[in-house]
Amino acid sequence: MNGSLEPMQINSSSCVQNQKPSSLLIRKATTFCICGSKRSSSCDKNQPKSQCCCTSERYEGVLTVYDPSAHIRCDGCVTGRKPWKDQCFGQTSYCLAQSGVLCRKGTLYKYRDDGEVAGGTHPSPEQHYCGRELYLPEEDICCQGQRHAKNGNSHCCGGEAYNISDPKKKCCAGRLYNLTGQSGEKYYNCCGSLLQTVESVCCSSEFNEVLYSKKSGFGCCDHQYFNASLWSCCAGRLSPAKNQNKSINESKLLSINNLNESDLCTKMQIGTVDSVSLNSIVFRDVLEIHGRNATMTHLALPHILKTPDCCSFPKLTPGKIYFFDGKNVFADFIHDSVLQSLYFIFSKCYGP
């Protein structure tokens, strides 16, 4: 530029990123300084050329003299220039490469003290972290230390954010998939962090989910995929086959995350398994969930789920919490707590 100036408005709506450290107000200026959007060269002839002066618009009539190599002037305020700290935002000087600096909607946010020691942070009472970044809870969502702008019914999937109401998005154990095809999520299920299609089979127990290629004459017994001509399954246990049945007896623990919306959002129960017999399962502390209305109802008496074909039910552990309806028992393999599971159901069914 050969010493020329490129003044920029300090209230510019753009937040420059990844720019090499250089002033938004002064570039290679040794005899000029900027007052607002004006340029002045009215330096006293007796002053060194390395200094410049101007009349501040904010303090009209007051002559300010400063050395641009040692100071920076932001909206009439002169402060000491620190290494690479030569950007202006209103009266505040900062550097775009500073850790913990965030410019959002015309406001500059800083959450690091100048005297901060390495590894330490000193937030103000009004500021929040997402990892090592400042974030605004009203506008952002924090996913495993990664900040994202909220977009619709935003939820976290690992470190990514997605709209839970979008049928083209599927979150499987912290891994986000973009679905294809007209049927969207109706065509795909989760099997752990993997995506299951109609060409594959997911066999699941309380602690494992395993994806297999679909084969004729095979079935699931908990997380194992067995050859029905050699083995038979009952309540998650395999035993040598005694006779050749045309039908395959299977048992696997289903996931609420793979239920379609009509099944997930209608009435279902959640409770703790109290005891298991050949013909029934007793649940205590039962709540009835209405996902569509985002409500729960307390059921006073223990609930008994009839199991006329006990072999088709998976192995259940007394003292553990499960979801169930009139026919099946479900677990949540993706979320870490019952609260997260309920929040998932209400978000999926009721929306924001």
Side-chain angles (χ1 to χ4, degrees), residues 184-232:
E185 65 178 349
K186 295 180 181 179
Y187 187 77
Y188 299 93
N189 283 329
C190 292
C191 187
S193 62
L194 302 177
L195 202 63
Q196 176 197 352
T197 66
V198 293
E199 289 82 21
S200 56
V201 173
C202 183
C203 296
S204 53
S205 63
E206 203 161 27
F207 305 104
N208 288 289
E209 290 178 278
V210 184
L211 193 66
Y212 299 91
S213 297
K214 183 177 288 187
K215 295 180 180 180
S216 177
F218 278 67
C220 289
C221 191
D222 277 3
H223 62 274
Q224 302 173 89
Y225 199 42
F226 69 98
N227 188 333
S229 65
L230 301 176
W231 303 91
S232 63

mmCIF file of all heavy atoms in Angstrom, residues 184-232:
data_model
loop_
_atom_site.group_PDB
_atom_site.id
_atom_site.type_symbol
_atom_site.label_atom_id
_atom_site.label_comp_id
_atom_site.label_asym_id
_atom_site.label_seq_id
_atom_site.Cartn_x
_atom_site.Cartn_y
_atom_site.Cartn_z
ATOM 1 N N GLY A 184 -35.980 -42.078 4.699
ATOM 2 C CA GLY A 184 -35.262 -41.445 5.792
ATOM 3 C C GLY A 184 -35.006 -42.403 6.936
ATOM 4 O O GLY A 184 -34.570 -43.533 6.750
ATOM 5 N N GLU A 185 -35.297 -41.955 8.154
ATOM 6 C CA GLU A 185 -34.978 -42.752 9.338
ATOM 7 C C GLU A 185 -35.836 -44.016 9.460
ATOM 8 O O GLU A 185 -35.497 -44.910 10.239
ATOM 9 C CB GLU A 185 -35.129 -41.897 10.595
ATOM 10 C CG GLU A 185 -36.541 -41.442 10.886
ATOM 11 C CD GLU A 185 -36.628 -40.646 12.175
ATOM 12 O OE1 GLU A 185 -35.645 -40.643 12.927
ATOM 13 O OE2 GLU A 185 -37.682 -40.053 12.434
ATOM 14 N N LYS A 186 -36.930 -44.124 8.719
ATOM 15 C CA LYS A 186 -37.750 -45.343 8.776
ATOM 16 C C LYS A 186 -37.001 -46.535 8.182
ATOM 17 O O LYS A 186 -37.334 -47.681 8.457
ATOM 18 C CB LYS A 186 -39.060 -45.118 8.016
ATOM 19 C CG LYS A 186 -39.963 -44.056 8.655
ATOM 20 C CD LYS A 186 -41.239 -43.884 7.850
ATOM 21 C CE LYS A 186 -42.143 -42.812 8.452
ATOM 22 N NZ LYS A 186 -43.375 -42.624 7.668
ATOM 23 N N TYR A 187 -36.005 -46.257 7.366
ATOM 24 C CA TYR A 187 -35.266 -47.315 6.667
ATOM 25 C C TYR A 187 -34.040 -47.754 7.461
ATOM 26 O O TYR A 187 -33.493 -48.813 7.211
ATOM 27 C CB TYR A 187 -34.845 -46.773 5.306
ATOM 28 C CG TYR A 187 -34.205 -47.788 4.384
ATOM 29 C CD1 TYR A 187 -34.974 -48.725 3.697
ATOM 30 C CD2 TYR A 187 -32.816 -47.790 4.190
ATOM 31 C CE1 TYR A 187 -34.377 -49.640 2.846
ATOM 32 C CE2 TYR A 187 -32.218 -48.706 3.338
ATOM 33 C CZ TYR A 187 -33.009 -49.620 2.667
ATOM 34 O OH TYR A 187 -32.417 -50.532 1.824
ATOM 35 N N TYR A 188 -33.610 -46.925 8.413
ATOM 36 C CA TYR A 188 -32.369 -47.179 9.128
ATOM 37 C C TYR A 188 -32.603 -47.313 10.633
ATOM 38 O O TYR A 188 -33.454 -46.643 11.198
ATOM 39 C CB TYR A 188 -31.384 -46.034 8.903
ATOM 40 C CG TYR A 188 -30.972 -45.823 7.465
ATOM 41 C CD1 TYR A 188 -31.651 -44.919 6.659
ATOM 42 C CD2 TYR A 188 -29.902 -46.515 6.911
ATOM 43 C CE1 TYR A 188 -31.270 -44.709 5.340
ATOM 44 C CE2 TYR A 188 -29.520 -46.319 5.591
ATOM 45 C CZ TYR A 188 -30.210 -45.411 4.815
ATOM 46 O OH TYR A 188 -29.836 -45.207 3.514
ATOM 47 N N ASN A 189 -31.815 -48.171 11.268
ATOM 48 C CA ASN A 189 -31.773 -48.280 12.721
ATOM 49 C C ASN A 189 -30.336 -48.148 13.186
ATOM 50 O O ASN A 189 -29.388 -48.286 12.406
ATOM 51 C CB ASN A 189 -32.345 -49.629 13.183
ATOM 52 C CG ASN A 189 -33.866 -49.662 13.146
ATOM 53 O OD1 ASN A 189 -34.520 -48.638 13.338
ATOM 54 N ND2 ASN A 189 -34.418 -50.832 12.883
ATOM 55 N N CYS A 190 -30.175 -47.913 14.471
ATOM 56 C CA CYS A 190 -28.843 -47.874 15.067
ATOM 57 C C CYS A 190 -28.505 -49.242 15.642
ATOM 58 O O CYS A 190 -29.362 -49.920 16.205
ATOM 59 C CB CYS A 190 -28.783 -46.835 16.189
ATOM 60 S SG CYS A 190 -28.914 -45.113 15.648
ATOM 61 N N CYS A 191 -27.257 -49.617 15.507
ATOM 62 C CA CYS A 191 -26.730 -50.806 16.176
ATOM 63 C C CYS A 191 -25.423 -50.368 16.823
ATOM 64 O O CYS A 191 -24.369 -50.369 16.178
ATOM 65 C CB CYS A 191 -26.513 -51.944 15.183
ATOM 66 S SG CYS A 191 -26.056 -53.516 15.974
ATOM 67 N N GLY A 192 -25.509 -49.925 18.064
ATOM 68 C CA GLY A 192 -24.370 -49.267 18.683
ATOM 69 C C GLY A 192 -24.122 -47.962 17.947
ATOM 70 O O GLY A 192 -25.037 -47.173 17.716
ATOM 71 N N SER A 193 -22.893 -47.737 17.525
ATOM 72 C CA SER A 193 -22.567 -46.528 16.766
ATOM 73 C C SER A 193 -22.666 -46.748 15.262
ATOM 74 O O SER A 193 -22.382 -45.832 14.482
ATOM 75 C CB SER A 193 -21.144 -46.066 17.117
ATOM 76 O OG SER A 193 -20.205 -47.064 16.762
ATOM 77 N N LEU A 194 -23.076 -47.952 14.851
ATOM 78 C CA LEU A 194 -23.188 -48.270 13.434
ATOM 79 C C LEU A 194 -24.622 -48.112 12.949
ATOM 80 O O LEU A 194 -25.572 -48.153 13.736
ATOM 81 C CB LEU A 194 -22.707 -49.702 13.171
ATOM 82 C CG LEU A 194 -21.265 -50.016 13.583
ATOM 83 C CD1 LEU A 194 -20.948 -51.485 13.334
ATOM 84 C CD2 LEU A 194 -20.283 -49.124 12.836
ATOM 85 N N LEU A 195 -24.762 -47.968 11.648
ATOM 86 C CA LEU A 195 -26.075 -47.790 11.036
ATOM 87 C C LEU A 195 -26.527 -49.104 10.416
ATOM 88 O O LEU A 195 -25.823 -49.697 9.593
ATOM 89 C CB LEU A 195 -25.997 -46.695 9.972
ATOM 90 C CG LEU A 195 -27.311 -46.007 9.581
ATOM 91 C CD1 LEU A 195 -27.904 -45.277 10.777
ATOM 92 C CD2 LEU A 195 -27.056 -45.011 8.445
ATOM 93 N N GLN A 196 -27.698 -49.560 10.815
ATOM 94 C CA GLN A 196 -28.254 -50.815 10.307
ATOM 95 C C GLN A 196 -29.246 -50.531 9.193
ATOM 96 O O GLN A 196 -30.095 -49.654 9.302
ATOM 97 C CB GLN A 196 -28.948 -51.578 11.433
ATOM 98 C CG GLN A 196 -29.633 -52.859 10.967
ATOM 99 C CD GLN A 196 -30.637 -53.386 11.980
ATOM 100 O OE1 GLN A 196 -30.724 -52.874 13.090
ATOM 101 N NE2 GLN A 196 -31.393 -54.392 11.585
ATOM 102 N N THR A 197 -29.153 -51.298 8.116
ATOM 103 C CA THR A 197 -30.110 -51.205 7.019
ATOM 104 C C THR A 197 -30.861 -52.529 6.919
ATOM 105 O O THR A 197 -30.652 -53.440 7.710
ATOM 106 C CB THR A 197 -29.393 -50.902 5.689
ATOM 107 O OG1 THR A 197 -28.571 -52.028 5.337
ATOM 108 C CG2 THR A 197 -28.514 -49.655 5.803
ATOM 109 N N VAL A 198 -31.720 -52.637 5.916
ATOM 110 C CA VAL A 198 -32.507 -53.859 5.764
ATOM 111 C C VAL A 198 -31.644 -55.041 5.351
ATOM 112 O O VAL A 198 -32.074 -56.189 5.448
ATOM 113 C CB VAL A 198 -33.642 -53.648 4.738
ATOM 114 C CG1 VAL A 198 -34.666 -52.662 5.264
ATOM 115 C CG2 VAL A 198 -33.087 -53.188 3.394
ATOM 116 N N GLU A 199 -30.414 -54.774 4.905
ATOM 117 C CA GLU A 199 -29.523 -55.875 4.503
ATOM 118 C C GLU A 199 -28.726 -56.429 5.676
ATOM 119 O O GLU A 199 -27.954 -57.379 5.516
ATOM 120 C CB GLU A 199 -28.546 -55.403 3.417
ATOM 121 C CG GLU A 199 -29.170 -55.140 2.062
ATOM 122 C CD GLU A 199 -29.821 -53.775 1.994
ATOM 123 O OE1 GLU A 199 -29.458 -52.904 2.813
ATOM 124 O OE2 GLU A 199 -30.704 -53.595 1.129
ATOM 125 N N SER A 200 -28.890 -55.846 6.856
ATOM 126 C CA SER A 200 -28.114 -56.291 8.007
ATOM 127 C C SER A 200 -29.032 -56.590 9.184
ATOM 128 O O SER A 200 -30.216 -56.246 9.183
ATOM 129 C CB SER A 200 -27.071 -55.241 8.395
ATOM 130 O OG SER A 200 -27.680 -53.985 8.645
ATOM 131 N N VAL A 201 -28.466 -57.239 10.197
ATOM 132 C CA VAL A 201 -29.208 -57.622 11.396
ATOM 133 C C VAL A 201 -28.436 -57.140 12.616
ATOM 134 O O VAL A 201 -27.213 -57.296 12.681
ATOM 135 C CB VAL A 201 -29.402 -59.155 11.468
ATOM 136 C CG1 VAL A 201 -30.029 -59.558 12.796
ATOM 137 C CG2 VAL A 201 -30.254 -59.642 10.307
ATOM 138 N N CYS A 202 -29.154 -56.566 13.567
ATOM 139 C CA CYS A 202 -28.533 -56.126 14.818
ATOM 140 C C CYS A 202 -29.014 -57.029 15.948
ATOM 141 O O CYS A 202 -30.210 -57.085 16.244
ATOM 142 C CB CYS A 202 -28.883 -54.675 15.118
ATOM 143 S SG CYS A 202 -28.084 -54.026 16.613
ATOM 144 N N CYS A 203 -28.091 -57.719 16.561
ATOM 145 C CA CYS A 203 -28.412 -58.558 17.711
ATOM 146 C C CYS A 203 -27.916 -57.850 18.967
ATOM 147 O O CYS A 203 -26.749 -57.432 19.024
ATOM 148 C CB CYS A 203 -27.766 -59.936 17.592
ATOM 149 S SG CYS A 203 -28.373 -60.923 16.198
ATOM 150 N N SER A 204 -28.807 -57.725 19.961
ATOM 151 C CA SER A 204 -28.461 -56.894 21.109
ATOM 152 C C SER A 204 -28.841 -57.553 22.430
ATOM 153 O O SER A 204 -29.902 -58.167 22.562
ATOM 154 C CB SER A 204 -29.169 -55.539 20.998
ATOM 155 O OG SER A 204 -30.557 -55.712 20.794
ATOM 156 N N SER A 205 -27.945 -57.415 23.385
ATOM 157 C CA SER A 205 -28.204 -57.821 24.757
ATOM 158 C C SER A 205 -28.059 -56.565 25.618
ATOM 159 O O SER A 205 -27.917 -55.451 25.098
ATOM 160 C CB SER A 205 -27.210 -58.889 25.198
ATOM 161 O OG SER A 205 -25.895 -58.379 25.195
ATOM 162 N N GLU A 206 -28.065 -56.764 26.927
ATOM 163 C CA GLU A 206 -27.996 -55.610 27.814
ATOM 164 C C GLU A 206 -26.675 -54.865 27.700
ATOM 165 O O GLU A 206 -26.606 -53.670 27.959
ATOM 166 C CB GLU A 206 -28.201 -56.069 29.256
ATOM 167 C CG GLU A 206 -28.694 -54.988 30.173
ATOM 168 C CD GLU A 206 -29.307 -55.583 31.425
ATOM 169 O OE1 GLU A 206 -28.918 -56.701 31.803
ATOM 170 O OE2 GLU A 206 -30.163 -54.922 32.010
ATOM 171 N N PHE A 207 -25.615 -55.557 27.289
ATOM 172 C CA PHE A 207 -24.289 -54.943 27.287
ATOM 173 C C PHE A 207 -23.627 -54.913 25.922
ATOM 174 O O PHE A 207 -22.544 -54.352 25.783
ATOM 175 C CB PHE A 207 -23.373 -55.685 28.270
ATOM 176 C CG PHE A 207 -23.923 -55.761 29.660
ATOM 177 C CD1 PHE A 207 -24.473 -56.951 30.132
ATOM 178 C CD2 PHE A 207 -23.915 -54.663 30.493
ATOM 179 C CE1 PHE A 207 -24.996 -57.030 31.416
ATOM 180 C CE2 PHE A 207 -24.433 -54.724 31.774
ATOM 181 C CZ PHE A 207 -24.974 -55.910 32.243
ATOM 182 N N ASN A 208 -24.240 -55.514 24.909
ATOM 183 C CA ASN A 208 -23.615 -55.569 23.590
ATOM 184 C C ASN A 208 -24.640 -55.376 22.480
ATOM 185 O O ASN A 208 -25.781 -55.839 22.588
ATOM 186 C CB ASN A 208 -22.917 -56.921 23.365
ATOM 187 C CG ASN A 208 -21.655 -57.069 24.189
ATOM 188 O OD1 ASN A 208 -20.654 -56.423 23.919
ATOM 189 N ND2 ASN A 208 -21.711 -57.915 25.203
ATOM 190 N N GLU A 209 -24.197 -54.702 21.423
ATOM 191 C CA GLU A 209 -24.948 -54.598 20.175
ATOM 192 C C GLU A 209 -23.985 -54.945 19.052
ATOM 193 O O GLU A 209 -22.947 -54.304 18.899
ATOM 194 C CB GLU A 209 -25.487 -53.186 19.978
ATOM 195 C CG GLU A 209 -26.590 -52.785 20.932
ATOM 196 C CD GLU A 209 -27.027 -51.356 20.692
ATOM 197 O OE1 GLU A 209 -26.351 -50.442 21.192
ATOM 198 O OE2 GLU A 209 -28.034 -51.161 19.992
ATOM 199 N N VAL A 210 -24.335 -55.966 18.277
ATOM 200 C CA VAL A 210 -23.432 -56.441 17.228
ATOM 201 C C VAL A 210 -24.188 -56.478 15.898
ATOM 202 O O VAL A 210 -25.313 -56.986 15.828
ATOM 203 C CB VAL A 210 -22.871 -57.842 17.559
ATOM 204 C CG1 VAL A 210 -21.858 -58.264 16.500
ATOM 205 C CG2 VAL A 210 -22.232 -57.847 18.949
ATOM 206 N N LEU A 211 -23.554 -55.944 14.853
ATOM 207 C CA LEU A 211 -24.169 -55.895 13.525
ATOM 208 C C LEU A 211 -23.666 -57.061 12.676
ATOM 209 O O LEU A 211 -22.457 -57.304 12.585
ATOM 210 C CB LEU A 211 -23.825 -54.567 12.851
ATOM 211 C CG LEU A 211 -24.618 -54.197 11.603
ATOM 212 C CD1 LEU A 211 -26.083 -53.965 11.940
ATOM 213 C CD2 LEU A 211 -24.017 -52.952 10.952
ATOM 214 N N TYR A 212 -24.606 -57.800 12.071
ATOM 215 C CA TYR A 212 -24.270 -58.958 11.234
ATOM 216 C C TYR A 212 -24.881 -58.787 9.845
ATOM 217 O O TYR A 212 -25.906 -58.103 9.682
ATOM 218 C CB TYR A 212 -24.838 -60.251 11.841
ATOM 219 C CG TYR A 212 -24.312 -60.598 13.220
ATOM 220 C CD1 TYR A 212 -24.978 -60.150 14.358
ATOM 221 C CD2 TYR A 212 -23.183 -61.396 13.374
ATOM 222 C CE1 TYR A 212 -24.522 -60.487 15.629
ATOM 223 C CE2 TYR A 212 -22.718 -61.736 14.637
ATOM 224 C CZ TYR A 212 -23.387 -61.280 15.759
ATOM 225 O OH TYR A 212 -22.931 -61.609 17.008
ATOM 226 N N SER A 213 -24.256 -59.431 8.880
ATOM 227 C CA SER A 213 -24.865 -59.527 7.553
ATOM 228 C C SER A 213 -26.019 -60.525 7.636
ATOM 229 O O SER A 213 -25.884 -61.601 8.224
ATOM 230 C CB SER A 213 -23.837 -60.001 6.518
ATOM 231 O OG SER A 213 -22.795 -59.061 6.389
ATOM 232 N N LYS A 214 -27.130 -60.170 7.027
ATOM 233 C CA LYS A 214 -28.325 -61.018 7.126
ATOM 234 C C LYS A 214 -28.102 -62.339 6.386
ATOM 235 O O LYS A 214 -27.611 -62.365 5.252
ATOM 236 C CB LYS A 214 -29.531 -60.284 6.551
ATOM 237 C CG LYS A 214 -30.828 -61.057 6.681
ATOM 238 C CD LYS A 214 -32.004 -60.252 6.155
ATOM 239 C CE LYS A 214 -32.350 -59.115 7.079
ATOM 240 N NZ LYS A 214 -33.598 -58.425 6.671
ATOM 241 N N LYS A 215 -28.464 -63.461 7.064
ATOM 242 C CA LYS A 215 -28.350 -64.796 6.479
ATOM 243 C C LYS A 215 -29.648 -65.570 6.692
ATOM 244 O O LYS A 215 -30.285 -65.421 7.737
ATOM 245 C CB LYS A 215 -27.190 -65.574 7.121
ATOM 246 C CG LYS A 215 -25.809 -64.997 6.868
ATOM 247 C CD LYS A 215 -24.743 -65.846 7.542
ATOM 248 C CE LYS A 215 -23.358 -65.294 7.304
ATOM 249 N NZ LYS A 215 -22.308 -66.121 7.959
ATOM 250 N N SER A 216 -29.982 -66.362 5.726
ATOM 251 C CA SER A 216 -31.190 -67.188 5.845
ATOM 252 C C SER A 216 -30.961 -68.292 6.879
ATOM 253 O O SER A 216 -29.903 -68.930 6.919
ATOM 254 C CB SER A 216 -31.522 -67.800 4.485
ATOM 255 O OG SER A 216 -32.631 -68.649 4.578
ATOM 256 N N GLY A 217 -31.979 -68.516 7.747
ATOM 257 C CA GLY A 217 -31.903 -69.580 8.728
ATOM 258 C C GLY A 217 -31.136 -69.211 9.984
ATOM 259 O O GLY A 217 -30.870 -70.068 10.823
ATOM 260 N N PHE A 218 -30.797 -67.934 10.139
ATOM 261 C CA PHE A 218 -30.099 -67.469 11.330
ATOM 262 C C PHE A 218 -31.020 -66.563 12.142
ATOM 263 O O PHE A 218 -31.978 -65.979 11.615
ATOM 264 C CB PHE A 218 -28.835 -66.687 10.946
ATOM 265 C CG PHE A 218 -27.644 -67.549 10.626
ATOM 266 C CD1 PHE A 218 -27.651 -68.359 9.498
ATOM 267 C CD2 PHE A 218 -26.529 -67.562 11.447
ATOM 268 C CE1 PHE A 218 -26.565 -69.161 9.191
ATOM 269 C CE2 PHE A 218 -25.438 -68.361 11.150
ATOM 270 C CZ PHE A 218 -25.449 -69.155 10.022
ATOM 271 N N GLY A 219 -30.752 -66.434 13.421
ATOM 272 C CA GLY A 219 -31.546 -65.568 14.285
ATOM 273 C C GLY A 219 -30.704 -65.012 15.427
ATOM 274 O O GLY A 219 -29.553 -65.422 15.640
ATOM 275 N N CYS A 220 -31.279 -64.072 16.175
ATOM 276 C CA CYS A 220 -30.583 -63.426 17.288
ATOM 277 C C CYS A 220 -30.931 -64.102 18.609
ATOM 278 O O CYS A 220 -32.099 -64.393 18.878
ATOM 279 C CB CYS A 220 -30.963 -61.952 17.382
ATOM 280 S SG CYS A 220 -30.298 -60.909 16.061
ATOM 281 N N CYS A 221 -29.913 -64.317 19.408
ATOM 282 C CA CYS A 221 -30.098 -64.756 20.785
ATOM 283 C C CYS A 221 -29.251 -63.818 21.629
ATOM 284 O O CYS A 221 -28.034 -64.007 21.751
ATOM 285 C CB CYS A 221 -29.656 -66.209 20.957
ATOM 286 S SG CYS A 221 -30.141 -66.924 22.554
ATOM 287 N N ASP A 222 -29.895 -62.756 22.159
ATOM 288 C CA ASP A 222 -29.175 -61.621 22.731
ATOM 289 C C ASP A 222 -28.260 -61.046 21.643
ATOM 290 O O ASP A 222 -28.733 -60.763 20.557
ATOM 291 C CB ASP A 222 -28.412 -62.014 23.994
ATOM 292 C CG ASP A 222 -29.325 -62.005 25.222
ATOM 293 O OD1 ASP A 222 -30.535 -61.748 25.061
ATOM 294 O OD2 ASP A 222 -28.839 -62.231 26.338
ATOM 295 N N HIS A 223 -26.956 -60.893 21.896
ATOM 296 C CA HIS A 223 -26.077 -60.277 20.895
ATOM 297 C C HIS A 223 -25.425 -61.309 19.972
ATOM 298 O O HIS A 223 -24.584 -60.964 19.147
ATOM 299 C CB HIS A 223 -24.986 -59.444 21.576
ATOM 300 C CG HIS A 223 -24.073 -60.251 22.459
ATOM 301 N ND1 HIS A 223 -24.372 -60.528 23.769
ATOM 302 C CD2 HIS A 223 -22.882 -60.838 22.200
ATOM 303 C CE1 HIS A 223 -23.393 -61.249 24.292
ATOM 304 N NE2 HIS A 223 -22.492 -61.456 23.366
ATOM 305 N N GLN A 224 -25.819 -62.592 20.082
ATOM 306 C CA GLN A 224 -25.246 -63.640 19.243
ATOM 307 C C GLN A 224 -26.161 -63.941 18.057
ATOM 308 O O GLN A 224 -27.391 -63.947 18.190
ATOM 309 C CB GLN A 224 -25.026 -64.908 20.065
ATOM 310 C CG GLN A 224 -24.103 -64.689 21.273
ATOM 311 C CD GLN A 224 -24.038 -65.922 22.149
ATOM 312 O OE1 GLN A 224 -23.201 -66.796 21.927
ATOM 313 N NE2 GLN A 224 -24.920 -66.009 23.138
ATOM 314 N N TYR A 225 -25.580 -64.215 16.907
ATOM 315 C CA TYR A 225 -26.311 -64.558 15.678
ATOM 316 C C TYR A 225 -26.080 -66.047 15.425
ATOM 317 O O TYR A 225 -24.963 -66.472 15.134
ATOM 318 C CB TYR A 225 -25.781 -63.706 14.529
ATOM 319 C CG TYR A 225 -26.699 -63.602 13.333
ATOM 320 C CD1 TYR A 225 -28.063 -63.417 13.488
ATOM 321 C CD2 TYR A 225 -26.184 -63.656 12.039
ATOM 322 C CE1 TYR A 225 -28.889 -63.294 12.386
ATOM 323 C CE2 TYR A 225 -26.999 -63.529 10.937
ATOM 324 C CZ TYR A 225 -28.358 -63.349 11.119
ATOM 325 O OH TYR A 225 -29.194 -63.218 10.022
ATOM 326 N N PHE A 226 -27.131 -66.824 15.590
ATOM 327 C CA PHE A 226 -26.947 -68.281 15.604
ATOM 328 C C PHE A 226 -27.618 -68.962 14.416
ATOM 329 O O PHE A 226 -28.584 -68.454 13.842
ATOM 330 C CB PHE A 226 -27.494 -68.867 16.916
ATOM 331 C CG PHE A 226 -28.994 -68.805 17.043
ATOM 332 C CD1 PHE A 226 -29.784 -69.915 16.746
ATOM 333 C CD2 PHE A 226 -29.633 -67.646 17.470
ATOM 334 C CE1 PHE A 226 -31.152 -69.878 16.857
ATOM 335 C CE2 PHE A 226 -31.015 -67.600 17.591
ATOM 336 C CZ PHE A 226 -31.790 -68.711 17.292
ATOM 337 N N ASN A 227 -27.082 -70.124 14.092
ATOM 338 C CA ASN A 227 -27.644 -70.977 13.047
ATOM 339 C C ASN A 227 -28.759 -71.813 13.676
ATOM 340 O O ASN A 227 -28.501 -72.663 14.532
ATOM 341 C CB ASN A 227 -26.553 -71.875 12.467
ATOM 342 C CG ASN A 227 -27.012 -72.654 11.250
ATOM 343 O OD1 ASN A 227 -28.202 -72.945 11.096
ATOM 344 N ND2 ASN A 227 -26.070 -73.024 10.396
ATOM 345 N N ALA A 228 -29.993 -71.553 13.268
ATOM 346 C CA ALA A 228 -31.150 -72.203 13.896
ATOM 347 C C ALA A 228 -31.207 -73.706 13.638
ATOM 348 O O ALA A 228 -31.928 -74.426 14.341
ATOM 349 C CB ALA A 228 -32.440 -71.545 13.418
ATOM 350 N N SER A 229 -30.458 -74.195 12.662
ATOM 351 C CA SER A 229 -30.439 -75.647 12.434
ATOM 352 C C SER A 229 -29.537 -76.357 13.434
ATOM 353 O O SER A 229 -29.618 -77.574 13.595
ATOM 354 C CB SER A 229 -29.979 -75.946 11.004
ATOM 355 O OG SER A 229 -28.641 -75.531 10.814
ATOM 356 N N LEU A 230 -28.690 -75.609 14.128
ATOM 357 C CA LEU A 230 -27.764 -76.197 15.093
ATOM 358 C C LEU A 230 -28.087 -75.826 16.534
ATOM 359 O O LEU A 230 -27.751 -76.577 17.458
ATOM 360 C CB LEU A 230 -26.321 -75.754 14.774
ATOM 361 C CG LEU A 230 -25.788 -76.109 13.380
ATOM 362 C CD1 LEU A 230 -24.406 -75.514 13.189
ATOM 363 C CD2 LEU A 230 -25.766 -77.619 13.187
ATOM 364 N N TRP A 231 -28.723 -74.658 16.701
ATOM 365 C CA TRP A 231 -28.956 -74.144 18.044
ATOM 366 C C TRP A 231 -30.396 -73.668 18.209
ATOM 367 O O TRP A 231 -31.060 -73.327 17.238
ATOM 368 C CB TRP A 231 -28.010 -72.975 18.354
ATOM 369 C CG TRP A 231 -26.565 -73.307 18.225
ATOM 370 C CD1 TRP A 231 -25.774 -73.171 17.115
ATOM 371 C CD2 TRP A 231 -25.729 -73.869 19.242
ATOM 372 N NE1 TRP A 231 -24.509 -73.600 17.363
ATOM 373 C CE2 TRP A 231 -24.444 -74.031 18.678
ATOM 374 C CE3 TRP A 231 -25.933 -74.243 20.565
ATOM 375 C CZ2 TRP A 231 -23.374 -74.541 19.392
ATOM 376 C CZ3 TRP A 231 -24.863 -74.752 21.289
ATOM 377 C CH2 TRP A 231 -23.605 -74.903 20.704
ATOM 378 N N SER A 232 -30.827 -73.655 19.435
ATOM 379 C CA SER A 232 -32.118 -73.033 19.776
ATOM 380 C C SER A 232 -31.864 -72.008 20.866
ATOM 381 O O SER A 232 -30.902 -72.106 21.636
ATOM 382 C CB SER A 232 -33.122 -74.089 20.249
ATOM 383 O OG SER A 232 -32.679 -74.716 21.439
#
